[in-house]
């Protein structure tokens, strides 16, 4: 692993939580995206963020990881800036797993939370994939695509006007 993290300390509370920079780095987004697809056996996944610059910075790697996960060829819906409640409604309606990225504070030194959701729009728990994701990352067993045909794709799919957008 090129840039290890303390998985026991940061992979908790339904996803990953910590300071950026420091506890977490952008690669964690990639690892979480790829591992969520594999542990949930997802062919579709949705991702949204709160618009904070650090959350946006982590969203790109998370999207990339999700489309590069073993043989799943996952279709990843990038909902962009949305509320966490909006993402949860989408997940519950579509019965698909998802990722929500939220950060607060100074972008140069902030707190970030990456919540991973299962198909029931519930945050992952130890028995529903979180422990497996923590183990995979700690053991550097992050999934990679088996071939180019296994690569998924990203679609921009906002569900409602974003805050600050004109109606």
């Amino acid at each position: 692993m090129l840039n290890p993290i303390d998985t026991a300390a940061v992979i908790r509370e339904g996803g990953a939580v910590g300071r950026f920079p420091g506890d977490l780095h952008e690669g964690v987004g990639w690892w979480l995206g790829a591992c969520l697809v594999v542990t949930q056996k997802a062919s579709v996944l949705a991702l949204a963020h709160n618009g904070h610059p650090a959350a946006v910075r982590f969203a790109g790697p998370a999207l990339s990881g999700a489309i590069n996960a073993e043989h799943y060829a996952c279709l990843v819906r990038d909902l962009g800036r949305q509320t966490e409640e909006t993402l949860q409604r989408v997940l519950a309606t579509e019965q698909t797993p998802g990722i929500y990225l939220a950060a607060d504070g100074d972008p140069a030194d902030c707190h970030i939370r990456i919540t991973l959701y299962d198909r029931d729009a519930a945050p992952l728990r130890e028995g529903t994939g979180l422990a497996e994701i923590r183990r995979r990352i700690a053991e550097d067993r992050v999934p990679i695509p088996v071939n180019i045909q296994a690569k998924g794709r990203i679609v921009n799919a906002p569900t409602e006007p974003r805050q600050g957008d004109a109606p």
Side-chain angles (χ1 to χ4, degrees):
M1 183 179 306
L2 295 177
N3 197 355
I5 60 168
D6 183 349
T7 54
V10 301
I11 307 295
R12 57 188 171 84
E13 298 177 26
V17 180
R19 302 292 308 167
F20 171 71
D23 301 326
L24 301 172
H25 55 79
E26 294 94 333
V28 174
W30 196 98
W31 297 338
L32 292 173
C35 288
L36 182 63
V37 167
V38 171
T39 61
Q40 301 299 297
K41 298 176 175 50
S43 59
V44 178
L45 181 137
L47 179 142
H49 58 78
N50 72 346
H52 187 281
V56 172
R57 190 169 174 174
F58 274 71
L63 291 164
S64 182
I67 65 168
N68 286 293
E70 290 182 353
H71 60 276
Y72 288 93
C74 188
L75 172 69
V76 183
R77 294 186 59 218
D78 180 1
L79 304 179
R81 182 179 178 182
Q82 301 290 337
T83 66
E84 194 163 10
E85 293 76 22
T86 299
L87 175 67
Q88 288 173 307
R89 279 195 306 276
V90 168
L91 300 180
T93 300
E94 299 180 4
Q95 298 275 283
T96 185
I99 302 172
Y100 190 75
L101 301 106
D104 58 46
D106 181 344
D109 180 24
C110 63
H111 180 266
I112 189 158
R113 179 178 50 87
I114 304 169
T115 306
L116 306 175
Y117 290 95
D118 65 17
R119 294 175 192 281
D120 296 322
L124 286 190
R125 295 178 304 276
E126 291 299 307
T128 60
L130 193 61
E132 174 67 13
I133 289 171
R134 183 185 309 108
R135 184 186 63 76
R136 281 179 162 274
I137 294 171
E139 294 175 0
D140 200 19
R141 293 193 54 234
V142 179
I144 57 173
V146 293
N147 57 44
I148 194 67
Q149 291 77 26
K151 187 171 183 168
R153 64 188 176 97
I154 300 166
V155 295
N156 291 324
T159 61
E160 59 191 39
R162 301 173 192 173
Q163 290 179 332
D165 286 354

